[in-house]
């Protein structure tokens, strides 16, 4: 034990303390004013200047008695005494030892007590040593955090040797509660005292830490706004100092203003503002800054909320469709129905229109007319060459040179969120447009999901539900199936010569005149001239080349007028060649001969209906049947079917029974580069074959189509209208069709029907009867 009771008791004057604890070794000023306290001091001064200091339990008590004071206190020496004006005395005291009251000697005129004193030695064991070190460590840490303890105090405490004294000095420095201080005073046992202080320090540290956290939190909240303002001002100042343009600030400010005005959706707005903050902090020339700027430009340019009001007048729509397109009655009716249904069932999201037909039949321009009719903006998006998903959905911004996809680009171009977007030639993407990209397009077209279309670049979802999508394709087969399922297909098979003539006179010619700055008087193109152009300069289902030829005439005339060679021109059937050169096609087959082994078939290709000549040659050989001209399997099979039928009936046709043993047969379909398939050339091949074997020529003005069975039956085929128009274009006069296709004759325009003779065949015998002439001698 390092603490010892002194053997003798001492009698001392007692000075009760209010709100302050005095430890041994502590030097402190006390201001004394109470009468009894002054008497105590007077008494002490008379006896070795020593007195007993102890705290009142309650500082408010004016006349404390024994019950109001603690038993434990400190014996102190009065070092100095100063009388202050007003009767108070300031005393400087120094604590000497702990002591405990054992007896009250007298209460008046001051409290006089008998105390038992404690003395401590500096000796210590290892445990105490360890406790001291811990305490010193904790105290240093506390001092660091609290910042209230002067450094010299720390030094003096750390260098102390006596453990008890160290504890007392540390206690004196801490801002402890008075009761805690009293606990320290009462801890007579030095080890217990050190332990108590360790606990108190740890406790204080925790409180300090909590305080710090609370402070930090409060400051953070308060500072955030102030700090930003402050930093921004500072940045301005710095940039000004550097002579750097203030426009960076104003750029950001300007952008913020724009964002405010742009009526962006909340999410987009927040994102934009965040990007502006980022931009502001970047050096202006940073590559990243350019990226952010471009991004913001895109966000600001998109029509998040802009939309045009639809014209909901079906009659007006009809007028526009009629004004801009000749003919196409059925197509227009279906478009109008579609628009009417859309109007009635606003919420019901209808299918998407898909125009299917060969080039130049007006698919694209019809879509444009629909936009005009609805008074919506129109954007055309071509799919030629679209390869990957990113073209539709965009690239993530992390890519260098990233851009939004075409859908978003189209919307920017339109400037409204409800344009008509034409997805032109979606069959063109059929070839290299698979997997993910197709699903991206599906999402675009799906009314269930397209209200939150997400472009990788834009990041925030865009609402496509107000967009009216229209698609076009040359052939339906190339459209990915799931896309096709969402669409309402409208076919545009192509025009008759008469229709083309009308289209040219009413639309193409006036349009081209206007485009070339020519008046109706300056260039007159006669009806016959146009007819000649249709027949001898073009061979198409649509009117694209026709328009091109007319444009080329306009160009030449315009050039001559500008060169002042002529004032006006009149183009007739006689002088077309002067403008367009020699005719490219021979109209009709009139000049051709009736030939053996050649029959004219009909087919539907990507460019519409077309004629298909089939040639058969017979050579001496061993009965081999060869097929050339890029024929598909179905077509080959139908060639064999025809061949078998003829073999089975050879005697009736007057063909020697063993022809298939002595001869090789070669069936060829010219224009070998174009793949051909389907069963519809069956009767044509059989006719050519019979012609070759019997040496009976085929009538040159007959064209035919139909599937053939092993027994010679003629089965129906598709695409009758396209095929008949193609046959008519090629100058055929008689057309052989399967009997079961009779109903399809309704589709054919009357003026074409009038000029043609139709044979409806059920059996190959009827076909041969019409198509073959007498045997050549
Ligand atoms: N029925 C029609 N009436 C008036 N012009 C037409 C008609 N059909 C096509 N055209 C015109 O022919 C040209 C080619 O049409 P376009 O729409 O490009 O065809 P597609 O998209 O089917 O290939 C355009 O100038 C178009 O206005
Ligand atoms: Mg087109």
């Amino acid at each position: 034990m390092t603490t010892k009771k002194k053997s003798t008791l001492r009698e001392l004057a007692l000075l009760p303390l209010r709100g302050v604890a005095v430890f041994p070794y502590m030097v402190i000023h006390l201001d004394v004013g109470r009468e009894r306290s002054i008497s105590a001091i007077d008494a002490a001064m008379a006896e070795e200047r020593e007195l007993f200091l102890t705290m009142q339990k309650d500082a408010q008590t004016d006349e404390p008695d024994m019950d109001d004071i603690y038993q434990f206190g400190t014996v102190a020496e009065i070092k100095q005494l100063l009388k202050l004006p007003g009767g108070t005395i300031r005393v400087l005291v120094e604590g000497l030892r702990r002591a405990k009251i054992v007896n009250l000697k007298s209460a008046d005129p001051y409290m006089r007590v008998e105390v038992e004193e404690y003395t401590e030695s500096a000796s210590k064991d290892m445990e105490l040593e360890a406790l001291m070190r811990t305490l010193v460590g904790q105290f240093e840490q506390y001092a660091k955090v609290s910042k209230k303890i002067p450094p010299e105090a720390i030094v003096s405490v750390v260098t102390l040797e006596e453990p008890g004294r160290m504890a007392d000095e540390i206690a004196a420095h801490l801002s402890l509660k008075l009761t805690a201080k009293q606990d320290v005073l009462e801890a007579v046992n030095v080890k217990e005292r050190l332990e108590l202080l360790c606990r108190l320090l740890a406790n204080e540290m925790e409180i300090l830490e909590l305080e710090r956290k609370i402070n930090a939190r409060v400051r953070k909240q308060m500072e955030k706004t102030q700090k930003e303002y402050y930093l921004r001002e500072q940045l301005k100042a710095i940039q000004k100092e550097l002579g750097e343009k203030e426009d960076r600030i104003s750029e950001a400010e300007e952008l913020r203003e724009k964002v405010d005005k742009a009526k962006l959706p909340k999410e987009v707005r927040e994102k934009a503002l965040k990007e502006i903050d980022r931009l502001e902090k970047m050096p202006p020339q940073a590559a990243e800054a350019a990226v952010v700027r471009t991004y913001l430009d895109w966000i600001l340019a998109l029509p998040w909320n802009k939309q045009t009001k639809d014209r909901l007048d079906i009659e007006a729509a009809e007028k526009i469709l009629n004004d801009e397109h000749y003919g196409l009655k059925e197509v227009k009716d279906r478009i109008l129905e579609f628009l009417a249904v859309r109007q009635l069932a606003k919420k019901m999201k209808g299918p998407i229109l898909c125009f299917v037909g060969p080039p130049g039949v007006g698919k694209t321009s019809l879509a444009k007319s629909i936009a005009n009719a609805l008074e919506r903006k129109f954007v055309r998006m071509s799919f030629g060459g679209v390869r990957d998903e990113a073209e539709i959905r965009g690239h993530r911004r992390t890519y260098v040179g990233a851009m939004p996809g075409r859908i978003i680009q189209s919307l920017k171009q339109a400037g409204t969120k409800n344009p008509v977007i034409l997805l032109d030639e979606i069959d063109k993407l059929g070839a290299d447009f698979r997997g993910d990209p197709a699903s991206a397009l599906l999402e675009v077209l799906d009314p269930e999901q397209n209200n939150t279309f997400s472009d990788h670049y834009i990041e925030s979802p865009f609402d496509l539900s107000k967009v009216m999508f229209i698609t076009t394709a040359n052939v339906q087969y190339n459209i990915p199936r799931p896309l096709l399922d969402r669409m309402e297909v409208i076919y545009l098979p192509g025009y008759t010569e008469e229709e083309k003539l009308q289209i040219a006179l009413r639309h193409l010619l006036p349009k081209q005149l206007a485009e070339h700055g020519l008046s109706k008087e300056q260039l007159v193109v006669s009806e016959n001239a146009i007819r000649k152009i249709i027949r001898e300069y073009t061979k198409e289902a649509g009117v694209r080349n026709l328009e091109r030829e007319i444009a080329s005439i306009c160009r030449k005339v315009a050039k001559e007028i500008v060169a002042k060679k002529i004032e006006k021109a009149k183009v007739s059937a006689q002088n077309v060649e002067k403008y367009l050169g020699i005719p490219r096609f021979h109209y009709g087959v009139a000049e051709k001969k009736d030939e053996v082994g050649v029959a004219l078939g009909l087919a539907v290709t990507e460019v519409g209906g077309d004629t298909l000549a089939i040639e058969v040659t017979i050579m001496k050989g061993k009965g081999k049947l060869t097929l050339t001209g890029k024929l598909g399997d179905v077509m080959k099979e139908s060639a064999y079917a025809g061949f078998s039928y003829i073999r089975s009936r050879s005697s009736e046709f007057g063909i020697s029974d063993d022809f298939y043993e002595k001869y090789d047969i070669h069936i060829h379909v010219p224009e070998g580069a174009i793949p051909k398939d389907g069963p519809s050339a069956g009767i044509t091949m059989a006719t050519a074959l019979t012609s070759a074997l019997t040496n009976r020529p085929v009538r040159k003005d007959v064209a035919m189509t139909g599937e053939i069975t092993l027994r010679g039956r003629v089965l129906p085929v598709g695409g009758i209208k396209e095929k008949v128009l193609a046959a008519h274009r090629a100058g055929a006069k008689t057309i052989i069709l399967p009997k079961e296709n009779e109903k399809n004759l309704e589709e054919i325009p009357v003026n074409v029907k009038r000029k043609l003779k139709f044979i409806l065949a059920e059996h190959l015998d009827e076909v041969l009867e019409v198509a073959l002439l007498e045997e050549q001698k």
Side-chain angles (χ1 to χ4, degrees), residues 5 264 328:
K5 287 183 191 172
L264 304 176
L328 298 173

Side-chain angles (χ1 to χ4, degrees), residues 29-143:
H29 279 292
L30 301 169
D31 285 346
V32 183
R34 287 183 283 189
E35 219 171 282
R36 281 173 14 126
S37 297
I38 291 172
S39 308
I41 285 175
D42 287 341
M45 287 303 285
E47 338 163 284
E48 303 172 41
R49 303 168 80 105
E50 288 190 7
L51 80 176
F52 182 66
L53 304 176
T54 186
M55 265 199 294
Q56 287 181 201
K57 288 176 184 161
D58 180 358
Q60 306 302 319
T61 320
D62 275 338
E63 299 271 320
D65 58 28
M66 280 299 281
D67 292 338
D68 298 322
I69 55 172
Y70 290 107
Q71 302 294 98
F72 279 90
T74 307
V75 177
E77 185 192 344
I78 298 173
K79 293 282 195 192
Q80 238 176 43
L81 209 147
L82 186 68
K83 291 205 157 112
L84 296 179
T88 21
I89 305 173
R90 174 165 292 173
V91 288
L92 183 72
V93 297
E94 180 183 5
L96 298 175
R97 300 160 225 104
R98 276 181 172 63
K100 184 188 169 193
I101 302 172
V102 284
N103 252 324
L104 174 71
K105 284 288 175 196
S106 65
D108 271 315
Y110 57 91
M111 282 202 271
R112 201 168 165 78
V113 290
E114 197 170 37
V115 297
E116 186 180 19
E117 291 188 296
Y118 301 89
T119 50
E120 290 162 17
S121 76
S123 72
K124 54 203 166 201
D125 57 12
M126 292 226 297
E127 196 183 349
L128 259 180
E129 187 72 41
L131 267 171
M132 279 173 79
R133 284 196 203 165
T134 312
L135 192 56
V136 165
Q138 275 185 320
F139 181 63
E140 280 175 332
Q141 223 178 338
Y142 171 85

Side-chain angles (χ1 to χ4, degrees), residues 93-225:
V93 297
E94 180 183 5
L96 298 175
R97 300 160 225 104
R98 276 181 172 63
K100 184 188 169 193
I101 302 172
V102 284
N103 252 324
L104 174 71
K105 284 288 175 196
S106 65
D108 271 315
Y110 57 91
M111 282 202 271
R112 201 168 165 78
V113 290
E114 197 170 37
V115 297
E116 186 180 19
E117 291 188 296
Y118 301 89
T119 50
E120 290 162 17
S121 76
S123 72
K124 54 203 166 201
D125 57 12
M126 292 226 297
E127 196 183 349
L128 259 180
E129 187 72 41
L131 267 171
M132 279 173 79
R133 284 196 203 165
T134 312
L135 192 56
V136 165
Q138 275 185 320
F139 181 63
E140 280 175 332
Q141 223 178 338
Y142 171 85
K144 203 152 61 188
V145 179
S146 87
K147 302 200 176 82
K148 279 181 205 145
I149 296 164
E152 59 274 12
I154 303 170
V155 175
S156 81
V157 167
V158 167
T159 49
L160 284 174
E161 286 295 323
E162 306 101 304
R165 181 172 177 187
M166 174 184 275
D168 286 340
E169 295 218 351
I170 289 177
H173 283 300
L174 300 185
S175 41
L176 293 172
K177 275 199 288 206
L178 290 175
T179 48
K181 292 205 172 185
Q182 184 63 35
D183 287 344
V184 175
L185 265 180
E186 293 183 10
V188 176
N189 183 310
V190 173
K191 203 186 279 170
E192 278 167 19
R193 193 186 310 155
L194 286 167
E195 277 166 1
L196 174 61
L197 265 156
C198 284
R199 270 205 308 282
L200 288 171
L201 262 174
N203 205 25
E204 283 301 293
M205 289 289 291
E206 218 162 279
I207 292 170
L208 275 178
E209 181 61 21
L210 264 175
E211 256 176 31
R212 202 183 54 78
K213 270 192 194 151
I214 292 168
N215 263 336
R217 207 160 50 220
V218 172
R219 200 177 316 139
K220 207 152 123 203
Q221 281 163 359
M222 275 197 7
E223 276 181 355
K224 196 169 176 264
T225 40

Side-chain angles (χ1 to χ4, degrees), residues 360 363-365 380 422 424-425 472 544:
K363 301 183 296 296
T364 306
S365 70
R380 173 174 172 268
L422 178 65
D424 215 1
E425 304 181 347
T472 78
R544 190 169 284 178

Side-chain angles (χ1 to χ4, degrees), residues 518-725:
L518 295 167
S519 70
K520 285 207 297 282
E521 288 72 37
Q522 281 173 310
L523 172 58
V524 179
V525 182
S526 77
E527 207 178 292
N528 280 335
I530 288 178
R531 223 182 273 276
K532 186 171 162 121
I533 298 170
I534 295 170
R535 287 178 178 177
E536 298 180 32
Y537 291 86
T538 67
K539 188 182 176 199
E540 58 179 351
V543 293
R544 190 169 284 178
N545 290 324
L546 176 57
E547 185 171 28
R548 216 170 274 157
E549 298 299 337
I550 292 172
S552 137
I553 292 177
C554 291
R555 212 161 41 239
K556 291 197 171 118
V557 171
K559 200 172 126 198
E560 289 192 355
I561 289 178
V562 170
K564 300 231 157 51
K565 284 202 200 120
I566 54 167
E567 273 179 12
K568 53 188 176 182
K570 197 164 168 3
V571 179
S572 64
Q574 283 70 44
N575 67 359
V576 171
E577 285 188 30
K578 191 182 136 207
Y579 294 95
L580 297 179
I582 51 164
R584 250 153 277 163
F585 304 100
H586 292 288
Y587 178 69
V589 285
E591 316 97 274
K592 285 193 199 148
K593 294 189 299 190
D594 302 323
E595 273 186 78
V596 171
V598 180
L600 194 64
L602 298 168
V604 180
T605 68
E606 291 214 358
V607 293
D610 203 355
T611 54
L612 194 69
I614 291 179
E615 301 169 356
V616 176
T617 314
I618 311 250
M619 298 152 285
K620 281 232 158 58
K622 294 194 184 104
K624 213 169 73 189
L625 181 61
T626 314
L627 298 159
T628 54
K630 271 228 170 161
L631 310 185
D633 288 343
V634 178
M635 196 155 172
K636 281 183 188 160
E637 279 165 21
S638 93
Y640 287 117
F643 182 68
S644 296
Y645 174 72
I646 292 161
R647 242 181 89 179
S648 71
R649 302 278 311 272
S650 54
S651 56
E652 278 137 86
F653 290 133
I655 305 166
S656 63
D657 283 348
D658 52 359
F659 76 91
Y660 56 90
E661 285 171 2
K662 291 186 190 151
Y663 298 99
D664 280 348
I665 297 169
H666 184 177
I667 300 180
H668 179 64
V669 187
E671 295 188 64
I674 305 164
K676 308 164 194 83
D677 203 2
S680 76
I683 62 168
T684 322
M685 289 190 286
T687 302
L689 201 54
T690 313
S691 162
L693 288 167
T694 56
N695 209 24
R696 288 170 68 182
V698 183
R699 271 173 55 190
K700 61 180 192 272
D701 63 342
V702 173
M704 62 189 83
T705 181
E707 182 174 351
I708 189 170
T709 70
L710 274 178
R711 300 179 184 277
R713 277 197 341 116
V714 178
L715 301 183
V717 293
I720 295 296
K721 184 178 178 191
E722 289 93 326
K723 287 173 176 175
V724 169
L725 293 182

